[in-house]
Amino acid sequence: IELPPTQVSHFEQEEIIPEAPPPSPSSEDTSIKPATSPRELVEEAAKKWGLPPELLHSVAAAESNYRVDAVSPKGAVGVMQLMPATAAALSADPYDPAQNIDAGARYLREMLIRYNHGLWSALAAYNAGPGAVDRYNGVPPYRETRTYVNKVYRDYQKRAGSKAF
């Protein structure tokens, strides 16, 4: 549009807001990066928490077969089948797959440390709770827990081969 200068009364300066720079990657950032599948999230969580990926895959497969929408009859939720109280204690949303898997990996690591890297006791505690493992000084005599520990351990051995601990 062309106007004679006498018709222009004033100019308004356009406000330009610069875009925020992208966040710089921090060397201290330990969060899990977004992934597209539960299996990828398991890989990332295992790496983050220093667990053998084959072990975490075996737990995820036994717990929910990687189903993000899984809910057990007892109320355990998500891929890693976290009880709501356990998820809350770990400050995780059990319905968010990344948080669920991260918290499950962290919890498994805590159980391994608690039981001096005794895999059977750690797996039993993951399934039945550390109180039951402490009460029975090892894997409790619950059929469900014994079946679970055997299933996870066999799958882990198959996945890891000679790397299994």
Side-chain angles (χ1 to χ4, degrees):
I1 299 175
E2 288 189 32
L3 297 172
T6 55
Q7 289 190 340
V8 178
S9 63
H10 69 279
F11 289 97
E12 289 184 14
Q13 188 156 359
E14 188 174 346
E15 185 178 346
I16 299 173
I17 302 172
E19 287 186 32
S24 62
S26 169
S27 60
E28 295 179 29
D29 183 16
T30 59
S31 64
I32 294 179
K33 305 298 181 252
T36 57
S37 75
R39 284 177 173 80
E40 289 174 318
L41 291 169
V42 167
E43 288 287 328
E44 291 291 327
K47 182 178 176 181
K48 176 181 175 183
W49 294 106
L51 296 171
E54 301 87 358
L55 176 59
L56 200 57
H57 278 290
S58 296
V59 171
E63 290 290 348
S64 69
N65 200 26
Y66 300 94
R67 285 190 43 225
V68 297
D69 62 344
V71 178
S72 78
K74 293 180 182 176
V77 177
V79 173
M80 300 304 287
Q81 288 292 276
L82 297 178
M83 293 300 288
T86 302
L90 296 166
S91 300
D93 175 357
Y95 295 97
D96 177 284
Q99 289 185 40
N100 181 288
I101 293 168
D102 182 70
R106 185 168 21 135
Y107 185 66
L108 179 60
R109 181 176 185 269
E110 287 175 8
M111 294 303 102
L112 284 164
I113 291 168
R114 179 175 180 153
Y115 296 106
N116 201 27
H117 298 280
L119 183 58
W120 288 70
S121 292
L123 291 172
Y126 193 96
N127 178 264
V133 173
D134 293 346
R135 189 169 35 258
Y136 290 99
N137 200 27
V139 179
Y142 311 147
R143 180 179 302 177
E144 175 190 334
T145 300
R146 290 181 179 256
T147 300
Y148 172 83
V149 169
N150 281 313
K151 177 180 181 177
V152 172
Y153 186 73
R154 277 194 312 272
D155 186 64
Y156 171 51
Q157 281 188 310
K158 187 168 52 171
R159 289 174 191 265
S162 63
K163 296 188 301 183
F165 67 90

